[in-house]
Amino acid sequence: MKVAVVKETGPAERRVALVPEVVAKLRSAGHEIQVERGAGASAFFPDEAYSDAGATLIGPDQLSEADAILMVGRPDASQIGRMRAGQAVFGLLAPLTDPELVSRLAQAGVTAVSLDLIPRTLPRAQPMDALSSQANIAGYKAALLAATAFGRFFPLLITAAGTARPAKVLVLGTGVAGLQAIGTARRLGAVVSAYDVRPETRTEVESLGATFVELTSVGSASGTGGYARALTDAERASQQAELADHITKHDVVITTAQVPGRRPPLLVTSAALKAMAAGSVLVDMGASALGGNVEGSAPGETIVTDNGVTIIGADTLPSTMAAASSAMYARNVSSLLTYMIKDGAFTVDLDDELVAGVVITRDGAVIHPALTKAGPAGGPAPEPASSPAPDPAPSPTPPAANGD
Ligand code: NAD
């Protein structure tokens, strides 16, 4: 098979879909690999490393020659314009929040494969779980960013010049990223507490040496497939009010809460921010154009409030560790690609739950049940990403979480 790797065009995107080590593996499996010139440069993989691994360097106009195009993020209009009907395109396409991109991919006639829809609970999908690999990196980097921005120590430090008490860190949302943030903050010596609306995460939190914060005003919001469901308005208000008391008792808050296909839930209100001590730091991993976990946070920006609280909108953390995140992503995407190659040809077997979970467009049509009008398991279609409603009512979960 002929496989092409694009040079990413997304803002602040430094990752690349294949690293030279994985190129060499695909080459020895008999595939022809083309890499767009400069594709790996910002992840510290020069063109020569790809050539040495057996890839051919190409220009963007040659992308249409490939059977499959691999990317990390989403294609822009000019990349879609160069695609050829029948080609496969792999990426973290975020289709639940970008219906416009989905219809453009369908119009281009490509078979679009979205790694963020992988049914993660299937054991055979684990090597392909790019959400987890990237969330792990993001959680690690969030804790480092927080420690760097905090004007005091994370660990207890006893010196001749005095004793520094350890920082109190609160992690909100304890999925893959949150657990890695807890582990990293603990390794730096902080005293860590954590909260998640899925109470079953308590055991994992405690096993990392952190204290699980239990809220009395909100019950479990566990959805299916391991994901959380969106809260009702009343639940959200209670959660925000009760969390505020905990937030003000901490020096550092790292927020990682997500509900698939939805605006990230708002957990830290401006009232909570006002009550925090000067010098406190928040790292909002949910920061997005639609709003984040922290009121007023902005993706890619660091804001200092009037009362001296630093809010870091940390939406592109995996990209800040592009060499590591690309290496992990390359293993994920190459595993999925090779899984879909049968007898040397790219094959879309929709009877396979894993394949049906990731293919969103084919032969000019949108085929994924979470994106068609019926929605998953007969539920409503997802709301468009541009929906102005903050943290709206429950909606369909992705395939891994079918039937909330
Ligand atoms: P995610 O990124 O979707 O969300 C991060 C966390 O935010 C979740 O723990 C979620 O419960 C929490 N959250 C959502 N709304 C919240 C709110 N209002 N208040 C507080 N917390 C809130 O999660 P993820 O890291 O992608 O993981 C989702 C699940 O998938 C987890 O249960 C994880 O264990 C599971 N998972 C399973 C496998 C596997 O089985 N192989 C692999 C990866 C992940």
Side-chain angles (χ1 to χ4, degrees):
M1 250 187 81
K2 199 180 271 190
V3 178
V5 176
V6 301
K7 183 170 161 53
E8 302 288 325
T9 55
E13 184 57 81
R14 299 181 57 198
R15 293 170 292 179
V16 58
L18 287 186
V19 298
E21 182 197 334
V22 177
V23 167
K25 283 191 182 139
L26 289 171
R27 285 283 298 134
S28 49
H31 302 296
E32 191 181 331
I33 312 294
Q34 302 177 318
V35 175
E36 197 178 331
R37 278 183 199 85
S42 47
F44 309 113
F45 299 108
D47 285 348
E48 304 77 60
Y50 287 100
S51 306
D52 292 348
T56 309
L57 299 172
I58 58 165
D61 291 336
Q62 289 164 277
L63 286 171
S64 61
E65 295 167 13
D67 302 304
I69 294 180
L70 307 186
M71 51 195 314
V72 181
R74 297 183 274 181
D76 64 18
S78 69
Q79 286 170 326
I80 294 177
R82 288 190 206 104
M83 287 172 186
R84 168 177 61 74
Q87 262 185 325
V89 180
F90 288 67
L92 288 164
L93 303 174
L96 295 178
T97 53
D98 196 348
E100 207 181 304
L101 173 71
V102 175
S103 45
R104 276 190 278 133
L105 289 166
Q107 279 161 22
V110 298
T111 301
V113 180
S114 196
L115 275 88
D116 39 8
L117 293 184
I118 279 202
R120 299 161 83 193
T121 47
L122 292 178
R124 65 183 183 282
Q126 292 193 4
M128 311 159 194
D129 184 357
L131 281 184
S132 288
S133 72
Q134 305 303 296
N136 248 313
I137 291 169
Y140 166 79
K141 194 67 189 278
L144 297 187
L145 263 187
T148 306
F150 186 49
R152 298 190 174 88
F153 291 104
F154 262 33
L156 167 74
L157 220 66
I158 301 169
T159 75
T163 298
R165 68 165 176 83
K168 286 186 192 160
V169 174
L170 175 63
V171 176
L172 299 178
T174 54
V176 179
L179 291 173
Q180 186 57 256
I182 292 171
T184 307
R186 287 273 301 141
R187 286 191 288 275
L188 289 172
V191 173
V192 184
S193 304
Y195 163 74
D196 198 290
V197 79
R198 293 180 301 121
E200 61 268 28
T201 62
R202 172 193 280 270
T203 322
E204 290 163 309
V205 166
E206 290 177 347
S207 73
L208 290 168
T211 305
F212 190 79
V213 171
E214 202 168 304
L215 300 191
T216 53
S217 62
V218 195
S220 165
S222 298
T224 50
Y227 291 97
R229 63 167 171 83
L231 300 183
T232 63
D233 288 348
E235 285 174 321
R236 190 162 50 247
S238 306
Q239 186 189 55
Q240 288 167 352
E242 197 175 347
L243 270 181
D245 286 341
H246 293 279
I247 289 163
T248 54
K249 291 179 191 138
H250 287 82
D251 304 304
V252 169
V253 179
I254 298 171
T255 65
T256 75
Q258 296 285 347
V259 175
R262 313 301 304 245
R263 175 216 188 282
L266 180 63
L267 304 179
V268 184
T269 60
S270 55
L273 286 171
K274 279 196 187 104
M276 290 183 85
S280 304
V281 173
L282 294 105
V283 177
D284 183 1
M285 286 177 52
S288 76
L290 300 174
N293 295 147
V294 178
E295 195 155 8
S297 74
E301 284 183 33
T302 296
I303 298 162
V304 181
T305 65
D306 291 345
N307 59 325
V309 174
T310 301
I311 306 170
I312 302 172
D315 60 326
T316 56
L317 293 180
S319 208
T320 65
M321 292 185 57
S325 50
S326 301
M328 288 190 179
Y329 184 82
R331 281 176 220 129
N332 299 141
V333 74
S334 61
S335 296
L336 179 57
L337 174 71
T338 46
Y339 181 83
M340 294 180 75
I341 297 173
K342 312 277 184 228
D343 299 324
F346 180 72
T347 308
V348 179
D349 174 9
L350 292 175
D351 290 331
D352 180 337
E353 189 185 349
L354 195 158
V355 174
V358 290
V359 177
I360 58 172
T361 65
R362 196 182 179 206
D363 295 334
V366 179
I367 62 162
H368 198 288
L371 300 164
T372 51
K373 279 203 179 111
E383 290 180 37
S386 55
S387 167
D391 209 4
S395 83
T397 45
N402 245 354
D404 197 10

